[in-house]
Amino acid sequence: MRIVRKLPLLAAVSSACLVLAILGGRLLGEPGFATAFGAEDAVTLQGTGATFPAPLYQKWFTEYNKDHPNVQINYQALGSGAGIKQFQQHLVDFGASDAAMTDEEMAPVKEGVVLLPMTAGAIVLAYNLPDVTTELKLSRQAYVGIFLGKITSWNDPTITKANPGVSLPDTKITVVSRSDGSGTTFVFTSHLSAISDEWKNGPGPGKAVNFPVGVAGKGNPGVSALIKQTPGAIGYVEYGYAVQAKMPMALLENKSGKYLKADLNSGKDALASVQLPENRRAWVTDPANSDSYPIVTYTWLLCYKKYENPKTLDALKSVIKYGLTKGQSFSADLGYIPLPGDVIDADMKALDQIS
Amino acid sequence: MTPGQAEVVVDIGPAGEPSRSEMVPPGEFEISRPPSSQEVVGDRLFRGATLAVAWFTVILVGWIVVSIGRQAMPSIHAYGLHFLQGTVWDANRARFGILPAIVGTLYSSILGLAIGTVFGLAIAIFLSEHFLSSGLEAILRSFGPLEDSWLGSLPDKIENVLKVTIELLAAIPSVVYGLWGIFVVIPFVRPPCNWLHSHLGWIPIFGTGLSGPGLMPAALVLAIMVLPTITAISRDSLVAVPAKLREAAFGMGATRWEAILAIFVPTAATGIFGALILGFGRALGETMALAMLAGNSNVISWSLFSPANTLAALLANHFPEADQIEVGALMYAALVLLAITLIVNVVGTLILQHADAGLKGIR
């Protein structure tokens, strides 16, 4: 009975909506109105992929949309794996991944794939030791040992050796990893495999590996939350998330034995240590420069070599160009490393392959 | 038969329903007649439709099982029963085992259900046996006569508010429970859990400390999640205890507690048991909150404070990024979860039937 009494109201509201919709449709049909609202020549680009660069991409796409109201870009940060999968199935106009596609992954895409490194970022070890106020230094032996489950207490000699004068508590170490498959895990475990044979032959590199110890959270935010809530925890997260969550990050020992903090300079230096090959697929698993932060990665945009729709093609190219030029200036604020000049040049050249 | 009656019958036949209200004055008798062909067709259609929908559900369940089974086939062939005994989930090396997840699922569900049952049943008794009303009434009566004043209905209203509040717990999304668990429950239970570990660590169930996520916080949150189911259904079955039984119990001089524990609860036992089965089903399948709270760690431990993994959390965590082989393994895990819930439900139903048969005399 109650519903019945409300029926006239419902009818009134819905008919009002209908009238508005019709009016709106009419107005959109008018040329002047359409340009004002960007309906003329409207292009929508669909993209899916990594969560790691998502904040930066979203920023690019909204800023780009302000200048080019006719181009709408939907980017869904579902993860690198999902990005590659949907790209292979032609469900999207472009994909994104922290792990560049392998040759086998590219094989099913008939028209060919162009991989474009768009930005880069560092992966940090964030920790939760409320009583330790000085910045913690972790040697390579120490952080491999922690993630292998061999070092279980914060006052282990391997850790204290690198931190003279810091009184480390007897707290149990809780390792926090990613429970879902992720590009971040791939980059981190690739680095561990590069510096430790024991890791390489044990858990090994991969998007989801079998971590010997600890607990796991879903996504960068899940890991951040667990670290923040667990005294004695340590885990790997993308630099931007650690900054956002105001978590202390460990200084890591790089290849030449220097302890470095993740920041713009140490990240740039790490990128500079690796020459990008012709196919723009390079892993910075263990940069050799003395001022390089050790865990850094590029992240890629995946594009087809051929696009049927010329409008989509032009819009996509234009967006990518925007990201490579003006877009790079947003990187530092959001915790990403701007691309070196030669990488941008290589990307620009590669754009010509897309037609 | 009188001539008048015959006239009526003749008139109704061809004209159908509407004419009857004209023919039969209000307050008069109605005449029985065979259903019209329209009614027969409508009846048949309705019966057919309900039958089709009922079968559709059965077919749907079958279809789900079959399609999951088909996708799981390759990994059933590849891993066989080792899949159920393996303790490692390593997609990298294509080694899959779900024993820790099975143990974690059962352990957390049983623990959560046990805690939820204690509280849920207590609340159900409190609400159904008017403890609140009688207590409040005594207080209110001291202000003056209750009859004719709005105060008289106050206890019932408060009781109703309590009931609705508990039912509202069911409406909270499980991701919210998960967040609440991480930010509130874990820090809250950590000190007592670690105290237990350091003082009674020799008992296996206190064998490890609680650092962050683990079985205990997961089970506590699960208990709250199954609470509304258990409370609502138990309360309903307690309320439905026949009045003659209540009167007989009190008439024989039973105290309130004797009546509740020896008569009412056993009489309502089938309903309460049904509530537990439903709650257990919910706990087994609960995903998001457990993925956030259990720790997603493939550990088998007696300890209540150790991190663990559950089947549903395993599925949710690994699906988005899984490749072909891992998807097969995940489907296999899904099939196992389905089997566990099915077994629980079937066993529950059988026990219910058995218990019902024993209670036939009372109802």
Side-chain angles (χ1 to χ4, degrees):
Chain A
M1 276 323 276
R2 226 181 270 162
I3 298 170
V4 174
R5 235 177 288 144
K6 280 182 185 161
L7 265 179
L9 181 71
L10 256 174
V13 170
S14 46
S15 52
C17 286
L18 200 68
V19 168
L20 271 178
I22 293 167
L23 272 178
R26 280 273 168 81
L27 278 173
L28 277 174
E30 308 273 324
F33 191 86
T35 12
F37 279 78
E40 192 176 279
D41 290 333
V43 183
T44 305
L45 296 177
Q46 284 288 352
T48 302
T51 49
F52 174 89
L56 181 63
Y57 287 176
Q58 306 286 21
K59 174 91 179 158
W60 288 357
F61 298 155
T62 46
E63 290 295 319
Y64 182 85
N65 183 250
K66 276 182 202 158
D67 297 343
H68 304 81
N70 59 327
V71 181
Q72 275 285 344
I73 307 145
N74 293 331
Y75 180 73
Q76 293 193 26
L78 297 180
S80 299
I84 291 178
K85 225 185 267 172
Q86 299 202 1
F87 180 74
Q88 284 172 334
Q89 295 165 351
H90 292 86
L91 295 174
V92 289
D93 297 315
F94 65 92
S97 171
D98 300 334
M101 286 172 89
T102 59
D103 290 334
E104 295 122 60
E105 282 170 339
M106 284 196 265
V109 184
K110 274 187 276 114
E111 60 265 60
V113 180
V114 179
L115 297 176
L116 300 168
M118 292 305 286
T119 186
I123 288 165
V124 298
L125 293 183
Y127 58 88
N128 179 347
L129 286 173
D131 300 331
V132 178
T133 47
T134 40
E135 277 175 321
L136 195 68
K137 290 176 181 166
L138 289 177
S139 64
R140 323 194 112 192
Q141 213 191 340
Y143 65 80
V144 172
I146 290 173
F147 277 86
L148 276 172
K150 292 175 133 185
I151 298 173
T152 55
S153 166
W154 279 106
N155 61 2
D156 191 281
T158 332
I159 302 176
T160 51
K161 207 168 60 191
N163 297 283
V166 182
S167 73
L168 286 163
D170 174 25
T171 320
K172 189 177 151 270
I173 297 178
T174 304
V175 171
V176 184
S177 58
R178 283 282 288 269
S179 59
D180 47 341
S182 97
T184 311
T185 306
F186 179 80
V187 173
F188 180 63
T189 51
S190 301
H191 169 72
L192 291 183
S193 300
I195 65 168
S196 152
D197 280 339
E198 200 177 345
W199 185 275
K200 195 173 172 185
N201 300 325
K207 282 185 209 146
V209 307
N210 181 30
F211 281 91
V213 283
V215 297
K218 197 163 159 59
N220 272 311
V223 173
S224 307
L226 284 184
I227 296 173
K228 282 200 91 162
Q229 289 301 312
T230 313
I234 184 167
Y236 58 93
V237 280
E238 198 265 320
Y239 174 75
Y241 280 97
V243 173
Q244 239 177 40
K246 297 195 180 70
M247 293 186 290
M249 298 165 245
L251 275 63
L252 301 185
E253 184 189 7
N254 69 7
K255 201 168 190 174
S256 49
K258 214 166 157 185
Y259 287 91
L260 280 167
K261 197 176 167 171
D263 60 18
L264 206 59
N265 293 329
S266 63
K268 267 185 178 165
D269 199 78
L271 291 184
S273 73
V274 173
Q275 189 64 41
L276 202 68
E278 191 59 25
N279 63 5
R280 295 169 305 285
R281 239 184 343 192
W283 302 113
V284 199
T285 48
D286 194 17
N289 287 3
S290 68
D291 289 321
S292 298
Y293 180 77
I295 321 175
V296 176
T297 181
Y298 285 111
T299 171
W300 286 265
L301 217 59
L302 323 169
C303 303
Y304 301 109
K305 270 196 178 145
K306 285 200 172 52
Y307 285 88
E308 294 289 317
N309 188 341
K311 273 188 204 162
T312 311
L313 175 72
D314 290 343
L316 184 67
K317 277 191 170 182
S318 156
V319 171
I320 293 174
K321 272 189 191 138
Y322 174 86
L324 288 171
T325 51
K326 201 171 166 216
Q328 295 294 318
S329 60
F330 303 126
S331 305
D333 284 343
L334 292 170
Y336 298 89
I337 308 164
L339 293 177
D342 55 328
V343 176
I344 296 182
D345 292 343
D347 278 346
M348 287 294 194
K349 229 186 270 169
L351 269 184
D352 296 336
Q353 297 176 18
I354 306 174
S355 57
Chain B
M1 236 181 232
T2 62
Q5 271 177 329
E7 221 177 82
V8 172
V9 173
V10 171
D11 268 349
I12 285 174
E17 292 282 332
S19 70
R20 187 160 58 165
S21 54
E22 291 159 26
M23 290 305 299
V24 181
E28 287 279 319
F29 52 86
E30 287 204 10
I31 301 138
S32 61
R33 57 178 173 82
S36 69
S37 56
Q38 268 176 321
E39 281 173 334
V40 170
V41 170
D43 187 54
R44 289 239 171 102
L45 274 180
F46 181 72
R47 206 192 307 176
T50 47
L51 191 72
V53 171
W55 272 108
F56 178 71
T57 354
V58 175
I59 291 167
L60 194 66
V61 171
W63 185 46
I64 290 174
V65 172
V66 167
S67 54
I68 291 178
R70 248 219 326 258
Q71 293 209 49
M73 237 10 185
S75 69
I76 294 177
H77 280 302
Y79 303 106
L81 287 178
H82 289 293
F83 188 72
L84 306 178
Q85 300 158 5
T87 56
V88 177
W89 186 279
D90 189 349
N92 236 357
R93 302 214 152 76
R95 284 190 3 219
F96 302 107
I98 54 165
L99 187 62
I102 295 177
V103 173
T105 305
L106 292 175
Y107 201 168
S108 61
S109 303
I110 292 172
L111 207 60
L113 186 70
I115 302 170
T117 305
V118 170
F119 284 94
L121 196 53
I123 296 170
I125 293 174
F126 182 78
L127 288 180
S128 64
E129 301 305 320
H130 303 290
F131 278 91
L132 186 75
S133 324
S134 48
L136 260 182
E137 243 173 58
I139 299 171
L140 290 176
R141 230 172 252 288
S142 63
F143 291 106
L146 278 178
E147 289 73 21
D148 311 325
S149 107
W150 61 272
L151 277 173
S153 61
L154 191 61
D156 285 338
K157 277 183 185 153
I158 294 177
E159 217 169 77
N160 226 3
V161 168
L162 264 179
K163 193 180 132 228
V164 172
T165 311
I166 289 162
E167 277 163 13
L168 262 183
L169 283 176
I172 298 175
S174 77
V175 66
V176 176
Y177 274 116
L179 282 175
W180 180 71
I182 289 181
F183 291 107
V184 179
V185 176
I186 291 179
F188 185 74
V189 299
R190 191 186 290 129
C193 289
N194 283 335
W195 184 89
L196 280 173
H197 167 59
S198 55
H199 288 79
L200 297 166
W202 49 272
I203 306 174
I205 57 166
F206 303 134
T208 60
L210 181 82
S211 50
L215 267 172
M216 195 65 199
L220 283 176
V221 170
L222 262 188
I224 298 171
M225 296 178 84
V226 300
L227 195 66
T229 314
I230 295 180
T231 307
I233 302 177
S234 305
R235 185 191 160 276
D236 287 349
S237 51
L238 280 170
V239 169
V241 169
K244 57 180 181 190
L245 257 182
R246 291 175 180 274
E247 281 154 20
F250 290 123
M252 285 171 72
T255 64
R256 200 178 197 185
W257 275 117
E258 284 166 351
I260 289 172
L261 292 180
I263 311 290
F264 304 162
V265 172
T267 312
T270 43
I272 294 170
F273 190 74
L276 299 194
I277 295 289
L278 273 181
F280 197 48
R282 164 138 209 218
L284 283 174
E286 177 46 45
T287 310
M288 201 54 210
L290 283 179
M292 294 168 87
L293 291 171
N296 303 309
S297 172
N298 274 326
V299 178
I300 301 180
S301 165
W302 276 112
S303 172
L304 293 174
F305 312 142
S306 151
N309 205 352
T310 71
L311 284 167
L314 180 87
L315 291 171
N317 276 319
H318 288 268
F319 243 119
E321 300 268 334
D323 57 13
Q324 206 61 44
I325 304 167
E326 196 179 5
V327 166
L330 287 169
M331 287 296 184
Y332 193 177
L335 212 56
V336 172
L337 180 59
L338 209 64
I340 292 177
T341 15
L342 202 70
I343 291 170
V344 166
N345 272 305
V346 169
V347 169
T349 315
L350 287 179
I351 296 178
L352 265 182
Q353 279 173 353
H354 185 75
D356 248 357
L359 277 173
K360 241 169 212 154
I362 312 179
R363 304 216 166 207

